[in-house]
Amino acid sequence: PKTITLIPLPTITTVDPTSGKACSNTTIADLEAGLTITKSDNSDTKWYFNSQEQDITSTLRQGEYTIKAISKTGECLSTQGIIYTVTEVETSPAVPFTDGKEGVICGSVKEFSLTELSGWDAEAGEEQGIKILWYTDSYTPTDDVQTDIKAGTYYARTLNGDCYSDYVALNIG
């Protein structure tokens, strides 16, 4: 005998908020992580822009997205969706420096701050409203200090208003 599995049609009932600004490097996954979405159990979301399915890694564009629920098996899609509107896309700042910066330091690395070691012009950045943020290997924020700089990899990104750049690495060895 043939076996037919009945899967309930998934539903999506609320998205909160239903609109907002985005940064030019914000992906659908980034946005979804900050939304409260009420949908049926055992379902995921599927995003559409202009009726075209969007990959979760796609960067956001200004306009209306339809969010639907899809069963975890990927076989059943909700018939109704919720609209999320990206009202504006703000330009994300550039990364603070280019990956692969190299050089030699004579003396102790403790004489320099991470920002000085990176070559980032902090004063020029601050005049433009851009701030550099430093992270450790575990992406835990750390201060730009002149002590406790150890050999290893640090990560930086810039912040301009509400938008962050991508991460870039600074290796100190």
Side-chain angles (χ1 to χ4, degrees):
K2 286 187 171 184
T3 302
I4 297 175
T5 304
L6 180 61
I7 299 173
L9 197 60
T11 58
I12 186 165
T13 53
T14 60
V15 173
D16 186 43
T18 57
S19 66
K21 294 179 182 180
C23 299
S24 59
N25 62 351
T26 303
T27 65
I28 290 172
D30 296 333
L31 174 63
E32 187 171 310
L35 297 175
T36 302
I37 299 176
T38 307
K39 58 185 176 37
S40 49
D41 291 337
N42 295 318
S43 67
D44 291 316
T45 57
K46 193 157 282 272
W47 289 66
Y48 297 85
F49 186 82
N50 291 334
S51 301
Q52 298 293 314
E53 184 179 331
Q54 301 295 299
D55 187 272
I56 198 99
T57 61
S58 299
T59 53
L60 294 169
R61 296 173 276 180
Q62 188 171 341
E64 289 186 350
Y65 287 82
T66 301
I67 309 167
K68 292 188 173 188
I70 187 166
S71 61
K72 292 267 187 193
T73 60
E75 297 163 338
C76 301
L77 185 66
S78 62
T79 54
Q80 299 295 315
I82 304 274
I83 301 294
Y84 181 88
T85 304
V86 176
T87 57
E88 180 182 348
V89 177
E90 297 178 12
T91 302
S92 298
V95 293
F97 51 87
T98 315
D99 228 354
K101 191 165 197 60
E102 295 179 10
V104 174
I105 296 173
C106 296
S108 171
V109 73
K110 294 181 185 264
E111 297 172 19
F112 300 93
S113 69
L114 289 171
T115 299
E116 290 169 329
L117 292 171
S118 73
W120 170 255
D121 186 344
E123 286 182 27
E126 287 178 16
E127 286 175 10
Q128 298 171 26
I130 300 171
K131 181 180 179 185
I132 190 169
L133 305 170
W134 288 98
Y135 299 81
T136 61
D137 286 329
S138 61
Y139 292 94
T140 303
T142 187
D143 292 327
D144 182 21
V145 294
Q146 293 189 21
T147 58
D148 289 336
I149 298 173
K150 300 177 177 99
T153 303
Y154 293 86
Y155 298 88
R157 63 182 180 168
T158 49
L159 171 64
N160 187 7
D162 294 327
C163 293
Y164 292 92
S165 71
D166 293 328
Y167 287 99
V168 65
L170 174 67
N171 295 308
I172 299 174

